[in-house]
Amino acid sequence: MKRREFVTLLGGAATAWPLAARAQQPAMPVVGFLQSGSPGGTAHMVAAFQTGLREAGYIEGQNVGIIYRFADGQYDRLPVLAAELLHSQVAVLAATGGDPAVVAARAATATIPIVFTTGSDPVALGFVASLNRPGGNVTGVVLLTSNLGAKRLGLLRQLLPKVDAVGVLVNPTYTVAAAQLKEVEAAAASLNVRLIVTNASADRDFAPAFALLIQERAGALLVAADPFFQSRRDQIVSLAARHAIPAIYEWREYAAAGGLMSYGTSLTEAFRQLGVYTGRILNGANPADLPVVQSTKFELVINLSTARALGIEIPPMLLARTDEVIE
């Protein structure tokens, strides 16, 4: 072989080898993020999810892609959104924002790994076989918030012992709405409190719902656990302030937005753990072998500025139990 031919061949091989190596590199895995709420109302949850992924070794845009889909509180959109994510060939599907997203994800696939956040009992709802051994393709994080209605009503009573009529804002389309209401009704009977139940499942329902509370002379309000309400927290808090109704909510985010008080677990910690589990599954873990994580830290948060605006003095014993006071 002549020297010129050899050099030409060597140069061609040097060019071909990197191209071949690049062609053999595995494609970046893609995670689907399905959320019942809206992008604006869940930005801090997405950030916590990304933090958890980083802890597991994955950084969005560098070694993992994330496709986001938000239902904006319209639960009937979730099945279509879940199908879109699966069509994108995601490696893991994160179903967040409560039970409706998990139901839609499970209906869409029985093989792609699913990690969830839910405020309900995932065993009772049939999401997993057990908390320690989920089985199947599903695992996740339980926030234990949907069954805290009775506790929240008791906190309202401690704050406002003379109030004998309390409104309950419920989304009748939410999976566990009936179970939540039943629990609150039992607690109300033991506390000798009259409940005024009002429903909202769309933006147009909020104004009539609050009008009913005023008409029925509700002295306080319990906002039931619901992802749609969480995505509309600014609107609900604003209506409660406008009508001067003391209210208790499920998440700290309500109190931070100006709500009077909240009692529940930490959303940011739950979504961080969701990201960690997603990363572990990308690293080869089987969701069937990952125990469902249960949130154990409960936070009582009181907004003192809102209390002052409502003319409410927080009892010292209740204030002493508060985990965070927002000035």
Side-chain angles (χ1 to χ4, degrees), residues 193-216:
V193 170
R194 177 172 67 93
L195 290 184
I196 304 161
V197 179
T198 184
N199 296 326
S201 56
D203 290 325
R204 63 180 179 274
D205 297 332
F206 288 123
F210 274 84
L212 177 63
L213 296 176
I214 299 304
Q215 179 183 327
E216 295 293 327

PDB file of all heavy atoms in Angstrom, residues 193-216:
ATOM      1  N   VAL A 193     -70.633  20.661  66.570  1.00  0.00           N
ATOM      2  CA  VAL A 193     -70.463  21.704  65.561  1.00  0.00           C
ATOM      3  C   VAL A 193     -71.389  21.416  64.383  1.00  0.00           C
ATOM      4  O   VAL A 193     -71.481  20.275  63.914  1.00  0.00           O
ATOM      5  CB  VAL A 193     -69.005  21.769  65.065  1.00  0.00           C
ATOM      6  CG1 VAL A 193     -68.873  22.677  63.841  1.00  0.00           C
ATOM      7  CG2 VAL A 193     -68.080  22.244  66.174  1.00  0.00           C
ATOM      8  N   ARG A 194     -72.078  22.431  63.910  1.00  0.00           N
ATOM      9  CA  ARG A 194     -72.932  22.293  62.724  1.00  0.00           C
ATOM     10  C   ARG A 194     -72.081  22.536  61.481  1.00  0.00           C
ATOM     11  O   ARG A 194     -71.399  23.550  61.377  1.00  0.00           O
ATOM     12  CB  ARG A 194     -74.085  23.294  62.778  1.00  0.00           C
ATOM     13  CG  ARG A 194     -75.002  23.268  61.541  1.00  0.00           C
ATOM     14  CD  ARG A 194     -76.234  24.134  61.753  1.00  0.00           C
ATOM     15  NE  ARG A 194     -75.890  25.544  61.830  1.00  0.00           N
ATOM     16  CZ  ARG A 194     -75.888  26.379  60.767  1.00  0.00           C
ATOM     17  NH1 ARG A 194     -76.199  25.911  59.560  1.00  0.00           N
ATOM     18  NH2 ARG A 194     -75.578  27.657  60.924  1.00  0.00           N
ATOM     19  N   LEU A 195     -72.151  21.595  60.543  1.00  0.00           N
ATOM     20  CA  LEU A 195     -71.379  21.721  59.313  1.00  0.00           C
ATOM     21  C   LEU A 195     -72.234  22.305  58.192  1.00  0.00           C
ATOM     22  O   LEU A 195     -73.408  21.962  58.052  1.00  0.00           O
ATOM     23  CB  LEU A 195     -70.834  20.361  58.868  1.00  0.00           C
ATOM     24  CG  LEU A 195     -69.736  19.718  59.705  1.00  0.00           C
ATOM     25  CD1 LEU A 195     -69.269  18.427  59.040  1.00  0.00           C
ATOM     26  CD2 LEU A 195     -68.566  20.662  59.929  1.00  0.00           C
ATOM     27  N   ILE A 196     -71.601  23.159  57.418  1.00  0.00           N
ATOM     28  CA  ILE A 196     -72.230  23.704  56.217  1.00  0.00           C
ATOM     29  C   ILE A 196     -71.361  23.261  55.042  1.00  0.00           C
ATOM     30  O   ILE A 196     -70.279  23.795  54.819  1.00  0.00           O
ATOM     31  CB  ILE A 196     -72.304  25.242  56.275  1.00  0.00           C
ATOM     32  CG1 ILE A 196     -73.031  25.686  57.545  1.00  0.00           C
ATOM     33  CG2 ILE A 196     -72.973  25.801  55.032  1.00  0.00           C
ATOM     34  CD1 ILE A 196     -72.754  27.119  57.919  1.00  0.00           C
ATOM     35  N   VAL A 197     -71.824  22.263  54.310  1.00  0.00           N
ATOM     36  CA  VAL A 197     -71.028  21.691  53.223  1.00  0.00           C
ATOM     37  C   VAL A 197     -71.312  22.449  51.934  1.00  0.00           C
ATOM     38  O   VAL A 197     -72.469  22.638  51.543  1.00  0.00           O
ATOM     39  CB  VAL A 197     -71.349  20.198  53.029  1.00  0.00           C
ATOM     40  CG1 VAL A 197     -70.518  19.625  51.882  1.00  0.00           C
ATOM     41  CG2 VAL A 197     -71.077  19.431  54.322  1.00  0.00           C
ATOM     42  N   THR A 198     -70.251  22.897  51.285  1.00  0.00           N
ATOM     43  CA  THR A 198     -70.383  23.597  50.014  1.00  0.00           C
ATOM     44  C   THR A 198     -69.371  23.029  49.030  1.00  0.00           C
ATOM     45  O   THR A 198     -68.251  22.681  49.421  1.00  0.00           O
ATOM     46  CB  THR A 198     -70.189  25.123  50.208  1.00  0.00           C
ATOM     47  OG1 THR A 198     -70.421  25.794  48.988  1.00  0.00           O
ATOM     48  CG2 THR A 198     -68.799  25.453  50.710  1.00  0.00           C
ATOM     49  N   ASN A 199     -69.772  22.893  47.776  1.00  0.00           N
ATOM     50  CA  ASN A 199     -68.966  22.195  46.777  1.00  0.00           C
ATOM     51  C   ASN A 199     -68.355  23.141  45.760  1.00  0.00           C
ATOM     52  O   ASN A 199     -68.937  24.186  45.420  1.00  0.00           O
ATOM     53  CB  ASN A 199     -69.821  21.164  46.026  1.00  0.00           C
ATOM     54  CG  ASN A 199     -70.332  20.070  46.928  1.00  0.00           C
ATOM     55  OD1 ASN A 199     -69.660  19.667  47.869  1.00  0.00           O
ATOM     56  ND2 ASN A 199     -71.535  19.577  46.646  1.00  0.00           N
ATOM     57  N   ALA A 200     -67.198  22.752  45.249  1.00  0.00           N
ATOM     58  CA  ALA A 200     -66.548  23.478  44.156  1.00  0.00           C
ATOM     59  C   ALA A 200     -65.661  22.509  43.385  1.00  0.00           C
ATOM     60  O   ALA A 200     -64.820  21.838  43.982  1.00  0.00           O
ATOM     61  CB  ALA A 200     -65.726  24.646  44.677  1.00  0.00           C
ATOM     62  N   SER A 201     -65.869  22.432  42.090  1.00  0.00           N
ATOM     63  CA  SER A 201     -65.023  21.594  41.243  1.00  0.00           C
ATOM     64  C   SER A 201     -64.536  22.347  40.009  1.00  0.00           C
ATOM     65  O   SER A 201     -63.891  21.772  39.142  1.00  0.00           O
ATOM     66  CB  SER A 201     -65.779  20.330  40.811  1.00  0.00           C
ATOM     67  OG  SER A 201     -66.990  20.675  40.167  1.00  0.00           O
ATOM     68  N   ALA A 202     -64.867  23.647  39.931  1.00  0.00           N
ATOM     69  CA  ALA A 202     -64.417  24.510  38.836  1.00  0.00           C
ATOM     70  C   ALA A 202     -64.295  25.934  39.372  1.00  0.00           C
ATOM     71  O   ALA A 202     -64.870  26.271  40.409  1.00  0.00           O
ATOM     72  CB  ALA A 202     -65.399  24.455  37.666  1.00  0.00           C
ATOM     73  N   ASP A 203     -63.572  26.775  38.663  1.00  0.00           N
ATOM     74  CA  ASP A 203     -63.353  28.152  39.108  1.00  0.00           C
ATOM     75  C   ASP A 203     -64.666  28.900  39.334  1.00  0.00           C
ATOM     76  O   ASP A 203     -64.792  29.693  40.269  1.00  0.00           O
ATOM     77  CB  ASP A 203     -62.512  28.910  38.074  1.00  0.00           C
ATOM     78  CG  ASP A 203     -61.066  28.432  38.034  1.00  0.00           C
ATOM     79  OD1 ASP A 203     -60.542  28.067  39.106  1.00  0.00           O
ATOM     80  OD2 ASP A 203     -60.475  28.409  36.952  1.00  0.00           O
ATOM     81  N   ARG A 204     -65.643  28.639  38.489  1.00  0.00           N
ATOM     82  CA  ARG A 204     -66.917  29.356  38.595  1.00  0.00           C
ATOM     83  C   ARG A 204     -67.688  28.999  39.859  1.00  0.00           C
ATOM     84  O   ARG A 204     -68.643  29.684  40.218  1.00  0.00           O
ATOM     85  CB  ARG A 204     -67.781  29.054  37.375  1.00  0.00           C
ATOM     86  CG  ARG A 204     -68.175  27.583  37.243  1.00  0.00           C
ATOM     87  CD  ARG A 204     -69.034  27.303  36.032  1.00  0.00           C
ATOM     88  NE  ARG A 204     -69.370  25.892  35.913  1.00  0.00           N
ATOM     89  CZ  ARG A 204     -68.612  24.985  35.317  1.00  0.00           C
ATOM     90  NH1 ARG A 204     -67.461  25.366  34.767  1.00  0.00           N
ATOM     91  NH2 ARG A 204     -68.973  23.720  35.263  1.00  0.00           N
ATOM     92  N   ASP A 205     -67.281  27.919  40.542  1.00  0.00           N
ATOM     93  CA  ASP A 205     -68.035  27.454  41.723  1.00  0.00           C
ATOM     94  C   ASP A 205     -67.644  28.179  43.007  1.00  0.00           C
ATOM     95  O   ASP A 205     -68.378  28.122  43.996  1.00  0.00           O
ATOM     96  CB  ASP A 205     -67.824  25.948  41.922  1.00  0.00           C
ATOM     97  CG  ASP A 205     -68.343  25.119  40.768  1.00  0.00           C
ATOM     98  OD1 ASP A 205     -69.289  25.574  40.097  1.00  0.00           O
ATOM     99  OD2 ASP A 205     -67.797  24.021  40.533  1.00  0.00           O
ATOM    100  N   PHE A 206     -66.489  28.832  43.028  1.00  0.00           N
ATOM    101  CA  PHE A 206     -65.999  29.384  44.289  1.00  0.00           C
ATOM    102  C   PHE A 206     -66.868  30.528  44.824  1.00  0.00           C
ATOM    103  O   PHE A 206     -67.180  30.569  46.015  1.00  0.00           O
ATOM    104  CB  PHE A 206     -64.541  29.841  44.139  1.00  0.00           C
ATOM    105  CG  PHE A 206     -63.570  28.713  44.029  1.00  0.00           C
ATOM    106  CD1 PHE A 206     -62.715  28.610  42.937  1.00  0.00           C
ATOM    107  CD2 PHE A 206     -63.500  27.731  45.007  1.00  0.00           C
ATOM    108  CE1 PHE A 206     -61.821  27.563  42.825  1.00  0.00           C
ATOM    109  CE2 PHE A 206     -62.602  26.673  44.905  1.00  0.00           C
ATOM    110  CZ  PHE A 206     -61.762  26.591  43.812  1.00  0.00           C
ATOM    111  N   ALA A 207     -67.242  31.454  43.975  1.00  0.00           N
ATOM    112  CA  ALA A 207     -68.044  32.585  44.436  1.00  0.00           C
ATOM    113  C   ALA A 207     -69.381  32.128  45.031  1.00  0.00           C
ATOM    114  O   ALA A 207     -69.738  32.535  46.154  1.00  0.00           O
ATOM    115  CB  ALA A 207     -68.267  33.580  43.299  1.00  0.00           C
ATOM    116  N   PRO A 208     -70.148  31.242  44.353  1.00  0.00           N
ATOM    117  CA  PRO A 208     -71.381  30.744  44.966  1.00  0.00           C
ATOM    118  C   PRO A 208     -71.139  29.954  46.254  1.00  0.00           C
ATOM    119  O   PRO A 208     -71.958  30.010  47.177  1.00  0.00           O
ATOM    120  CB  PRO A 208     -71.985  29.843  43.879  1.00  0.00           C
ATOM    121  CG  PRO A 208     -71.371  30.300  42.603  1.00  0.00           C
ATOM    122  CD  PRO A 208     -70.007  30.778  42.960  1.00  0.00           C
ATOM    123  N   ALA A 209     -70.024  29.225  46.312  1.00  0.00           N
ATOM    124  CA  ALA A 209     -69.710  28.441  47.505  1.00  0.00           C
ATOM    125  C   ALA A 209     -69.523  29.355  48.714  1.00  0.00           C
ATOM    126  O   ALA A 209     -70.062  29.094  49.803  1.00  0.00           O
ATOM    127  CB  ALA A 209     -68.460  27.601  47.283  1.00  0.00           C
ATOM    128  N   PHE A 210     -68.800  30.440  48.542  1.00  0.00           N
ATOM    129  CA  PHE A 210     -68.589  31.381  49.647  1.00  0.00           C
ATOM    130  C   PHE A 210     -69.862  32.166  49.954  1.00  0.00           C
ATOM    131  O   PHE A 210     -70.116  32.508  51.118  1.00  0.00           O
ATOM    132  CB  PHE A 210     -67.421  32.313  49.334  1.00  0.00           C
ATOM    133  CG  PHE A 210     -66.084  31.746  49.709  1.00  0.00           C
ATOM    134  CD1 PHE A 210     -65.408  30.890  48.844  1.00  0.00           C
ATOM    135  CD2 PHE A 210     -65.504  32.035  50.936  1.00  0.00           C
ATOM    136  CE1 PHE A 210     -64.182  30.344  49.195  1.00  0.00           C
ATOM    137  CE2 PHE A 210     -64.285  31.503  51.300  1.00  0.00           C
ATOM    138  CZ  PHE A 210     -63.613  30.649  50.431  1.00  0.00           C
ATOM    139  N   ALA A 211     -70.661  32.424  48.938  1.00  0.00           N
ATOM    140  CA  ALA A 211     -71.937  33.104  49.178  1.00  0.00           C
ATOM    141  C   ALA A 211     -72.825  32.257  50.089  1.00  0.00           C
ATOM    142  O   ALA A 211     -73.518  32.784  50.980  1.00  0.00           O
ATOM    143  CB  ALA A 211     -72.636  33.383  47.850  1.00  0.00           C
ATOM    144  N   LEU A 212     -72.796  30.940  49.898  1.00  0.00           N
ATOM    145  CA  LEU A 212     -73.579  30.048  50.753  1.00  0.00           C
ATOM    146  C   LEU A 212     -73.065  30.083  52.190  1.00  0.00           C
ATOM    147  O   LEU A 212     -73.866  30.081  53.143  1.00  0.00           O
ATOM    148  CB  LEU A 212     -73.515  28.618  50.209  1.00  0.00           C
ATOM    149  CG  LEU A 212     -74.232  27.549  51.045  1.00  0.00           C
ATOM    150  CD1 LEU A 212     -75.735  27.827  51.106  1.00  0.00           C
ATOM    151  CD2 LEU A 212     -73.963  26.147  50.492  1.00  0.00           C
ATOM    152  N   LEU A 213     -71.763  30.123  52.354  1.00  0.00           N
ATOM    153  CA  LEU A 213     -71.184  30.184  53.700  1.00  0.00           C
ATOM    154  C   LEU A 213     -71.637  31.444  54.430  1.00  0.00           C
ATOM    155  O   LEU A 213     -71.964  31.395  55.632  1.00  0.00           O
ATOM    156  CB  LEU A 213     -69.657  30.143  53.623  1.00  0.00           C
ATOM    157  CG  LEU A 213     -69.028  28.867  53.051  1.00  0.00           C
ATOM    158  CD1 LEU A 213     -67.520  29.028  52.945  1.00  0.00           C
ATOM    159  CD2 LEU A 213     -69.385  27.655  53.900  1.00  0.00           C
ATOM    160  N   ILE A 214     -71.656  32.553  53.731  1.00  0.00           N
ATOM    161  CA  ILE A 214     -72.102  33.808  54.334  1.00  0.00           C
ATOM    162  C   ILE A 214     -73.589  33.737  54.668  1.00  0.00           C
ATOM    163  O   ILE A 214     -74.026  34.145  55.753  1.00  0.00           O
ATOM    164  CB  ILE A 214     -71.818  34.987  53.386  1.00  0.00           C
ATOM    165  CG1 ILE A 214     -70.319  35.111  53.125  1.00  0.00           C
ATOM    166  CG2 ILE A 214     -72.366  36.284  53.973  1.00  0.00           C
ATOM    167  CD1 ILE A 214     -69.466  35.254  54.365  1.00  0.00           C
ATOM    168  N   GLN A 215     -74.357  33.203  53.743  1.00  0.00           N
ATOM    169  CA  GLN A 215     -75.804  33.083  53.956  1.00  0.00           C
ATOM    170  C   GLN A 215     -76.129  32.220  55.172  1.00  0.00           C
ATOM    171  O   GLN A 215     -77.055  32.523  55.938  1.00  0.00           O
ATOM    172  CB  GLN A 215     -76.447  32.486  52.707  1.00  0.00           C
ATOM    173  CG  GLN A 215     -77.958  32.279  52.790  1.00  0.00           C
ATOM    174  CD  GLN A 215     -78.504  31.610  51.545  1.00  0.00           C
ATOM    175  OE1 GLN A 215     -78.003  31.807  50.440  1.00  0.00           O
ATOM    176  NE2 GLN A 215     -79.546  30.801  51.723  1.00  0.00           N
ATOM    177  N   GLU A 216     -75.347  31.144  55.348  1.00  0.00           N
ATOM    178  CA  GLU A 216     -75.587  30.212  56.455  1.00  0.00           C
ATOM    179  C   GLU A 216     -74.845  30.627  57.729  1.00  0.00           C
ATOM    180  O   GLU A 216     -74.847  29.889  58.703  1.00  0.00           O
ATOM    181  CB  GLU A 216     -75.167  28.800  56.041  1.00  0.00           C
ATOM    182  CG  GLU A 216     -75.995  28.201  54.922  1.00  0.00           C
ATOM    183  CD  GLU A 216     -77.425  27.927  55.356  1.00  0.00           C
ATOM    184  OE1 GLU A 216     -77.638  27.595  56.545  1.00  0.00           O
ATOM    185  OE2 GLU A 216     -78.331  28.049  54.505  1.00  0.00           O
TER     186      GLU A 216
END
